[in-house]
Amino acid sequence: MRRAVVTGAAQGLGAATAERLSGDGVEVIRVDRAGDVDERVDVTDEAAVADLARRIGAVDILINSAGIVGPNLPLVETALGAWRATFEVNVLGVVSMMRAFVPGMVSGGWGRVVNFASMAGKDGNPNLAAYSASKAAVIALTKSAGKELATTGVLVNAIAPAVIATPMNATTAPDVLAHITSLIPMKRVGEPQEVAELVAWLASDRVSFSTGAVYDISGGRAVY
């Protein structure tokens, strides 16, 4: 049986992904800093992440779903502290989890890492500069790691969703949410289960010749 760690698993895309992987017979360890999960761990706490890896041992699949929106403000009104907080979760949290769990995958000769980026990381969302920049960093991180690990049996890919119906978007300013929804040619937001289906595929044996790639799930919004 494959084993997976899913961060941000208390709600939204992380919860939907954990449920979908369980349906495929994967043993899922759900991680979040709060909520009804298997392990309460803050991904920005490097020592806590290392301790998690020691306690649960090697896994086959790592899903980095934990993320925050960050400041909903024009760039010049944002504070550096808010930028740091956004990058701590959205970028360094992914780095910490990969540093903790990828070595075990390499040792086993098989692994799947799926990082949650965003369409914002490709074309930028107004008044969400920190979030957009952090997700662009996740894309570059994925491409770099995918190349590094290309001959190890460990595949690293990312997904770039557009607006999805999750609790995180409840904290997005209504005008910003309306704008980014209007950019979707399908004229609707996505559902968490639709995203989870893509993640489950990327986390499986069905993917064998794709790494360092970014998969849009955007209702047609994709720009490149």
Side-chain angles (χ1 to χ4, degrees):
M1 177 186 289
R2 302 287 193 202
R3 301 180 76 221
V5 168
V6 180
T7 69
Q11 61 183 6
L13 297 181
T17 296
E19 182 177 356
R20 179 64 183 78
L21 291 177
S22 294
D24 275 351
V26 176
E27 177 191 347
V28 178
I29 300 158
R30 300 174 304 145
V31 176
D32 211 315
R33 61 184 178 184
D36 181 17
V37 291
D38 302 305
E39 298 282 349
R40 290 194 177 185
V41 175
D42 185 339
V43 296
T44 69
D45 185 337
E46 186 176 11
V49 169
D51 179 65
L52 173 69
R54 282 193 296 270
R55 287 189 289 104
I56 67 175
V59 300
D60 308 289
I61 299 164
L62 171 61
I63 310 296
N64 286 305
S65 172
I68 61 174
V69 174
N72 290 172
L73 293 168
L75 170 63
V76 297
E77 296 177 19
T78 58
L80 288 183
W83 277 79
R84 292 188 182 100
T86 305
F87 270 70
E88 281 284 343
V89 177
N90 293 359
V91 183
L92 298 184
V94 175
V95 172
S96 289
M97 292 295 293
M98 290 181 67
R99 290 181 68 244
F101 289 101
V102 165
M105 297 179 187
V106 172
S107 294
W110 193 97
R112 299 290 184 268
V113 179
V114 183
N115 295 328
F116 280 44
S118 170
M119 286 304 299
K122 289 190 165 191
D123 59 356
N125 287 338
N127 298 323
L128 286 173
Y131 179 79
S132 300
S134 73
K135 292 303 184 177
V138 170
I139 289 171
L141 165 64
T142 299
K143 289 180 176 294
S144 180
K147 289 178 173 66
E148 288 183 18
L149 299 168
T151 61
T152 67
V154 180
L155 307 183
V156 185
N157 292 294
I159 63 166
V163 187
I164 310 297
T166 66
M168 189 170 80
N169 277 319
T171 67
T172 303
D175 59 326
V176 174
L177 194 59
H179 170 71
I180 57 182
T181 302
S182 74
L183 299 175
I184 300 174
M186 283 188 177
K187 301 302 180 185
R188 69 173 178 87
V189 301
E191 295 296 327
Q193 292 75 19
E194 294 176 301
V195 177
E197 195 66 37
L198 175 59
V199 178
W201 177 67
L202 288 171
S204 73
D205 283 303
R206 299 187 297 276
V207 176
S208 57
F209 194 57
S210 179
T211 194
V214 184
Y215 289 80
D216 296 336
I217 183 159
S218 67
R221 176 180 163 181
V223 291
Y224 72 90

